[in-house]
Amino acid sequence: MRKSGGLFFTIAAIAITLIIWGNPLNYILTAFAPPSEPVRPSIFSLSTPGLSIDAGALMAHVRSLPQPRNSPSSKEAARQYITSRLADYGIQAERQAYGIEQERLTGVASGVNIVANIPGSDPTAGSIVLGAHYDTEIGSPGADDNGSAIATLLETARIFSTQADSQSDVLAAAADPLTAPKSIRLVFFDQEERQIDGSGLLGSLAFTQQPGNIADIKGAIILDMIGYACHDPGCQAYPPRLPIPNLPNTGDFLAVLGLTGQTDLNQTDLDQTDSDHADLLGAFAFSAQRIGPTLLTLPVPQSMLNFFPDLLRSDHAPFWDKNIPAVLVSDTANFRNPHYHTAQDKPDTLDSIFLQGSAQHVVNAIAALISQSG
Ligand SMILES: [Zn+2]
């Protein structure tokens, strides 16, 4: 997660408060109205043995990734770890290098994204992207930022890989992407963090600028820091001067930020695009009813983005820019985790139970989304 001026979580905190307690500010309440048509639950999306996250495997991935991951050699070691684990699950990964010409001209380093497809049963049904950056801030081990998310992508790969064929459970077999219509596209982004020239999000920008990458995407779930929780009163911080009373002061929820309302004036099919955004949020909202941690879906009106540019802090922003429905899933980063972007962002600081719950929410949401044929 890139550094912020704080406005992102000003909006997020307002939305959280509205969702939890309601709020007399009716105009804001209208603006943040939840999606009216949550995604219809899939029979195999929840509490299915074959879809269970392995908490031990998650933490093993977090510990095994190189720390930090900001030099050419450490990033290459991270890429090799990722592609090796995917190969273990029978998934072939593609390396997408970008920015080579720019590096020659400007000196800004090039990068490498890793893309892996888990095909569904219907090649025309489209794909759901699950994406996260694997690079770190200089000097930070990046356990929460963003090892927690990379571990979740790898566990998602294991669960939905063709090895699901061996599951004897009927429902688990039904969740095999070979029988679900949509594909899953795992994307491990390079260079999300700030570069020497002040730029960032370079990997997700490069990915979304390739038409072949995005032609069939129906929705994108972007993870950035999903493994830190705090339970002592006062440990969850908020921006100063927030005009909302009774904010939650413990950090035991997972935030899902999405768009609602008019999405783009150039879009010819506004209603369809809007409902796709609602489907993403709805998939998480449904999961939230079953398995912890508490999960807060935050629908943000498109019109607010002009006033709150810090809503665009992570790899979901390039997808929104391309009018692709996308959500950002996060533990709220620096407003909760005191180790954010420091040398202390180590595996032992993560809450493994919280991370397991976060990852399970992601798997549940994906299971529901890939089961939809439309
Ligand atoms: Zn970061």
Short mmCIF file of all heavy atoms in Angstrom, two decimals, residues 178-215:
data_model
loop_
_atom_site.label_atom_id
_atom_site.label_comp_id
_atom_site.label_asym_id
_atom_site.label_seq_id
_atom_site.Cartn_x
_atom_site.Cartn_y
_atom_site.Cartn_z
N LEU A 178 -13.13 -26.17 -13.19
CA LEU A 178 -13.45 -26.91 -14.41
C LEU A 178 -14.96 -27.04 -14.59
O LEU A 178 -15.45 -27.24 -15.69
CB LEU A 178 -12.80 -28.29 -14.39
CG LEU A 178 -11.27 -28.28 -14.46
CD1 LEU A 178 -10.72 -29.67 -14.25
CD2 LEU A 178 -10.83 -27.74 -15.81
N THR A 179 -15.70 -26.93 -13.46
CA THR A 179 -17.15 -26.99 -13.58
C THR A 179 -17.80 -25.65 -13.35
O THR A 179 -18.95 -25.46 -13.72
CB THR A 179 -17.73 -28.02 -12.59
OG1 THR A 179 -17.31 -27.67 -11.27
CG2 THR A 179 -17.25 -29.41 -12.93
N ALA A 180 -17.10 -24.70 -12.74
CA ALA A 180 -17.60 -23.32 -12.63
C ALA A 180 -17.29 -22.62 -13.96
O ALA A 180 -16.23 -22.83 -14.54
CB ALA A 180 -16.93 -22.60 -11.48
N PRO A 181 -18.20 -21.80 -14.44
CA PRO A 181 -18.00 -21.24 -15.80
C PRO A 181 -16.84 -20.26 -15.92
O PRO A 181 -16.12 -20.28 -16.92
CB PRO A 181 -19.34 -20.56 -16.10
CG PRO A 181 -20.06 -20.46 -14.80
CD PRO A 181 -19.54 -21.53 -13.91
N LYS A 182 -16.65 -19.40 -14.92
CA LYS A 182 -15.62 -18.35 -15.08
C LYS A 182 -14.22 -18.84 -14.72
O LYS A 182 -14.05 -19.74 -13.89
CB LYS A 182 -15.96 -17.14 -14.20
CG LYS A 182 -17.10 -16.28 -14.72
CD LYS A 182 -17.08 -14.94 -14.02
CE LYS A 182 -18.19 -14.03 -14.52
NZ LYS A 182 -19.53 -14.49 -14.10
N SER A 183 -13.23 -18.19 -15.31
CA SER A 183 -11.83 -18.46 -14.99
C SER A 183 -11.37 -17.57 -13.84
O SER A 183 -11.96 -16.52 -13.57
CB SER A 183 -10.96 -18.18 -16.21
OG SER A 183 -11.38 -18.94 -17.32
N ILE A 184 -10.31 -18.01 -13.18
CA ILE A 184 -9.62 -17.17 -12.18
C ILE A 184 -8.28 -16.76 -12.78
O ILE A 184 -7.55 -17.61 -13.30
CB ILE A 184 -9.38 -17.94 -10.87
CG1 ILE A 184 -10.70 -18.42 -10.27
CG2 ILE A 184 -8.62 -17.06 -9.87
CD1 ILE A 184 -10.52 -19.39 -9.11
N ARG A 185 -7.98 -15.47 -12.73
CA ARG A 185 -6.67 -15.00 -13.22
C ARG A 185 -5.91 -14.41 -12.04
O ARG A 185 -6.27 -13.35 -11.51
CB ARG A 185 -6.85 -13.97 -14.32
CG ARG A 185 -5.52 -13.57 -14.98
CD ARG A 185 -5.76 -12.85 -16.31
NE ARG A 185 -6.50 -13.72 -17.21
CZ ARG A 185 -7.32 -13.29 -18.16
NH1 ARG A 185 -7.50 -12.01 -18.35
NH2 ARG A 185 -7.97 -14.15 -18.94
N LEU A 186 -4.88 -15.11 -11.61
CA LEU A 186 -4.04 -14.62 -10.53
C LEU A 186 -2.98 -13.70 -11.12
O LEU A 186 -2.31 -14.05 -12.08
CB LEU A 186 -3.37 -15.79 -9.81
CG LEU A 186 -4.30 -16.84 -9.21
CD1 LEU A 186 -3.51 -18.06 -8.78
CD2 LEU A 186 -5.07 -16.26 -8.03
N VAL A 187 -2.83 -12.50 -10.52
CA VAL A 187 -1.84 -11.55 -11.01
C VAL A 187 -1.01 -11.04 -9.84
O VAL A 187 -1.55 -10.49 -8.87
CB VAL A 187 -2.48 -10.35 -11.75
CG1 VAL A 187 -1.40 -9.53 -12.44
CG2 VAL A 187 -3.52 -10.81 -12.77
N PHE A 188 0.30 -11.26 -9.93
CA PHE A 188 1.25 -10.80 -8.91
C PHE A 188 1.95 -9.58 -9.49
O PHE A 188 2.78 -9.69 -10.39
CB PHE A 188 2.24 -11.91 -8.59
CG PHE A 188 1.61 -13.21 -8.14
CD1 PHE A 188 1.05 -14.09 -9.07
CD2 PHE A 188 1.58 -13.55 -6.80
CE1 PHE A 188 0.46 -15.28 -8.66
CE2 PHE A 188 1.01 -14.75 -6.38
CZ PHE A 188 0.44 -15.62 -7.32
N PHE A 189 1.62 -8.40 -8.93
CA PHE A 189 2.12 -7.15 -9.50
C PHE A 189 3.49 -6.77 -8.93
O PHE A 189 3.75 -6.89 -7.73
CB PHE A 189 1.16 -6.00 -9.20
CG PHE A 189 -0.20 -6.16 -9.82
CD1 PHE A 189 -1.32 -6.29 -9.01
CD2 PHE A 189 -0.37 -6.16 -11.20
CE1 PHE A 189 -2.58 -6.42 -9.57
CE2 PHE A 189 -1.63 -6.30 -11.76
CZ PHE A 189 -2.74 -6.44 -10.94
N ASP A 190 4.33 -6.25 -9.80
CA ASP A 190 5.60 -5.64 -9.41
C ASP A 190 5.37 -4.13 -9.19
O ASP A 190 4.39 -3.56 -9.67
CB ASP A 190 6.61 -5.87 -10.55
CG ASP A 190 8.06 -5.71 -10.09
OD1 ASP A 190 8.30 -5.28 -8.95
OD2 ASP A 190 8.96 -6.01 -10.91
N GLN A 191 6.26 -3.48 -8.45
CA GLN A 191 6.39 -2.01 -8.40
C GLN A 191 5.10 -1.27 -8.01
O GLN A 191 4.80 -0.24 -8.56
CB GLN A 191 6.90 -1.48 -9.74
CG GLN A 191 8.31 -1.94 -10.04
CD GLN A 191 8.81 -1.41 -11.37
OE1 GLN A 191 8.15 -1.59 -12.39
NE2 GLN A 191 9.96 -0.75 -11.38
N GLU A 192 4.36 -1.83 -7.05
CA GLU A 192 3.24 -1.04 -6.51
C GLU A 192 3.78 0.08 -5.65
O GLU A 192 3.27 1.19 -5.66
CB GLU A 192 2.31 -1.95 -5.68
CG GLU A 192 1.02 -1.27 -5.24
CD GLU A 192 1.09 -0.63 -3.86
OE1 GLU A 192 2.16 -0.70 -3.19
OE2 GLU A 192 0.11 -0.04 -3.43
N GLU A 193 4.82 -0.25 -4.87
CA GLU A 193 5.36 0.75 -3.94
C GLU A 193 6.06 1.88 -4.71
O GLU A 193 6.41 1.73 -5.88
CB GLU A 193 6.35 0.08 -2.98
CG GLU A 193 5.74 -1.04 -2.13
CD GLU A 193 4.78 -0.53 -1.07
OE1 GLU A 193 4.52 0.69 -1.01
OE2 GLU A 193 4.28 -1.38 -0.30
N ARG A 194 6.29 2.98 -4.01
CA ARG A 194 6.85 4.17 -4.63
C ARG A 194 8.26 3.90 -5.17
O ARG A 194 9.11 3.35 -4.48
CB ARG A 194 6.88 5.32 -3.62
CG ARG A 194 7.26 6.66 -4.23
CD ARG A 194 7.11 7.74 -3.21
NE ARG A 194 7.87 7.47 -1.98
CZ ARG A 194 7.75 8.17 -0.87
NH1 ARG A 194 6.88 9.14 -0.79
NH2 ARG A 194 8.49 7.87 0.19
N GLN A 195 8.49 4.33 -6.40
CA GLN A 195 9.78 4.16 -7.04
C GLN A 195 10.65 5.41 -6.84
O GLN A 195 10.20 6.42 -6.29
CB GLN A 195 9.60 3.89 -8.54
CG GLN A 195 8.68 2.71 -8.83
CD GLN A 195 9.20 1.39 -8.27
OE1 GLN A 195 10.27 0.93 -8.64
NE2 GLN A 195 8.44 0.78 -7.35
N ILE A 196 11.87 5.33 -7.31
CA ILE A 196 12.82 6.43 -7.09
C ILE A 196 12.30 7.75 -7.66
O ILE A 196 12.52 8.81 -7.09
CB ILE A 196 14.18 6.05 -7.73
CG1 ILE A 196 14.83 4.95 -6.90
CG2 ILE A 196 15.10 7.27 -7.83
CD1 ILE A 196 16.11 4.40 -7.52
N ASP A 197 11.58 7.68 -8.77
CA ASP A 197 11.07 8.91 -9.38
C ASP A 197 9.72 9.34 -8.81
O ASP A 197 9.11 10.29 -9.31
CB ASP A 197 10.96 8.73 -10.90
CG ASP A 197 9.87 7.73 -11.28
OD1 ASP A 197 9.45 6.95 -10.40
OD2 ASP A 197 9.44 7.75 -12.45
N GLY A 198 9.25 8.67 -7.76
CA GLY A 198 7.99 9.05 -7.13
C GLY A 198 6.78 8.33 -7.70
O GLY A 198 5.69 8.43 -7.15
N SER A 199 6.96 7.59 -8.78
CA SER A 199 5.84 6.87 -9.36
C SER A 199 5.55 5.60 -8.56
O SER A 199 6.33 5.21 -7.69
CB SER A 199 6.13 6.52 -10.82
OG SER A 199 7.24 5.64 -10.89
N GLY A 200 4.43 4.98 -8.86
CA GLY A 200 4.05 3.73 -8.22
C GLY A 200 2.93 3.08 -9.01
O GLY A 200 2.53 3.61 -10.07
N LEU A 201 2.45 1.95 -8.55
CA LEU A 201 1.40 1.20 -9.26
C LEU A 201 1.84 0.82 -10.67
O LEU A 201 1.00 0.60 -11.54
CB LEU A 201 0.08 2.00 -9.34
CG LEU A 201 -0.47 2.62 -8.06
CD1 LEU A 201 -1.78 3.34 -8.35
CD2 LEU A 201 -0.67 1.59 -6.98
N LEU A 202 3.15 0.71 -10.89
CA LEU A 202 3.63 0.51 -12.26
C LEU A 202 3.24 -0.85 -12.81
O LEU A 202 2.94 -0.99 -14.00
CB LEU A 202 5.15 0.69 -12.32
CG LEU A 202 5.67 2.09 -11.95
CD1 LEU A 202 7.18 2.17 -12.16
CD2 LEU A 202 4.96 3.16 -12.77
N GLY A 203 3.25 -1.88 -11.97
CA GLY A 203 2.90 -3.21 -12.44
C GLY A 203 1.43 -3.30 -12.85
O GLY A 203 1.11 -3.84 -13.92
N SER A 204 0.54 -2.77 -12.02
CA SER A 204 -0.89 -2.86 -12.36
C SER A 204 -1.22 -1.95 -13.53
O SER A 204 -2.09 -2.27 -14.34
CB SER A 204 -1.75 -2.52 -11.14
OG SER A 204 -1.33 -1.33 -10.52
N LEU A 205 -0.52 -0.83 -13.65
CA LEU A 205 -0.72 0.03 -14.82
C LEU A 205 -0.30 -0.70 -16.10
O LEU A 205 -1.02 -0.68 -17.11
CB LEU A 205 0.08 1.33 -14.67
CG LEU A 205 -0.54 2.40 -13.78
CD1 LEU A 205 0.50 3.47 -13.44
CD2 LEU A 205 -1.75 3.04 -14.46
N ALA A 206 0.86 -1.36 -16.05
CA ALA A 206 1.33 -2.08 -17.24
C ALA A 206 0.37 -3.21 -17.60
O ALA A 206 0.06 -3.43 -18.77
CB ALA A 206 2.73 -2.64 -16.98
N PHE A 207 -0.13 -3.90 -16.57
CA PHE A 207 -1.06 -5.03 -16.83
C PHE A 207 -2.33 -4.55 -17.51
O PHE A 207 -2.78 -5.14 -18.50
CB PHE A 207 -1.40 -5.73 -15.51
CG PHE A 207 -2.36 -6.87 -15.67
CD1 PHE A 207 -1.91 -8.13 -16.07
CD2 PHE A 207 -3.72 -6.70 -15.42
CE1 PHE A 207 -2.80 -9.19 -16.23
CE2 PHE A 207 -4.61 -7.75 -15.59
CZ PHE A 207 -4.16 -8.99 -15.98
N THR A 208 -2.91 -3.48 -16.99
CA THR A 208 -4.20 -3.02 -17.53
C THR A 208 -4.05 -2.29 -18.85
O THR A 208 -5.05 -2.06 -19.53
CB THR A 208 -4.93 -2.12 -16.51
OG1 THR A 208 -4.05 -1.04 -16.12
CG2 THR A 208 -5.34 -2.89 -15.27
N GLN A 209 -2.83 -1.92 -19.21
CA GLN A 209 -2.64 -1.25 -20.50
C GLN A 209 -2.53 -2.24 -21.66
O GLN A 209 -2.51 -1.83 -22.82
CB GLN A 209 -1.40 -0.35 -20.45
CG GLN A 209 -1.65 0.96 -19.70
CD GLN A 209 -0.38 1.72 -19.37
OE1 GLN A 209 0.72 1.29 -19.73
NE2 GLN A 209 -0.53 2.84 -18.68
N GLN A 210 -2.47 -3.52 -21.36
CA GLN A 210 -2.42 -4.54 -22.41
C GLN A 210 -3.84 -5.06 -22.68
O GLN A 210 -4.41 -5.75 -21.83
CB GLN A 210 -1.51 -5.70 -21.99
CG GLN A 210 -0.05 -5.35 -21.86
CD GLN A 210 0.56 -4.86 -23.18
OE1 GLN A 210 0.27 -5.40 -24.24
NE2 GLN A 210 1.37 -3.81 -23.10
N PRO A 211 -4.42 -4.74 -23.84
CA PRO A 211 -5.80 -5.14 -24.11
C PRO A 211 -6.03 -6.64 -23.95
O PRO A 211 -7.09 -7.07 -23.47
CB PRO A 211 -6.01 -4.70 -25.57
CG PRO A 211 -5.04 -3.57 -25.76
CD PRO A 211 -3.85 -3.92 -24.93
N GLY A 212 -5.03 -7.43 -24.31
CA GLY A 212 -5.20 -8.88 -24.20
C GLY A 212 -5.34 -9.35 -22.76
O GLY A 212 -5.91 -10.42 -22.50
N ASN A 213 -4.81 -8.56 -21.83
CA ASN A 213 -4.92 -8.94 -20.41
C ASN A 213 -6.31 -8.70 -19.85
O ASN A 213 -6.74 -9.38 -18.92
CB ASN A 213 -3.93 -8.13 -19.57
CG ASN A 213 -2.51 -8.66 -19.65
OD1 ASN A 213 -2.30 -9.83 -19.97
ND2 ASN A 213 -1.54 -7.81 -19.35
N ILE A 214 -7.00 -7.70 -20.36
CA ILE A 214 -8.22 -7.24 -19.68
C ILE A 214 -9.50 -7.50 -20.47
O ILE A 214 -10.59 -7.22 -19.99
CB ILE A 214 -8.14 -5.74 -19.35
CG1 ILE A 214 -8.01 -4.90 -20.62
CG2 ILE A 214 -6.97 -5.47 -18.40
CD1 ILE A 214 -8.08 -3.39 -20.35
N ALA A 215 -9.37 -8.05 -21.69
CA ALA A 215 -10.55 -8.16 -22.57
C ALA A 215 -11.70 -8.92 -21.92
O ALA A 215 -12.86 -8.57 -22.10
CB ALA A 215 -10.13 -8.82 -23.88
#
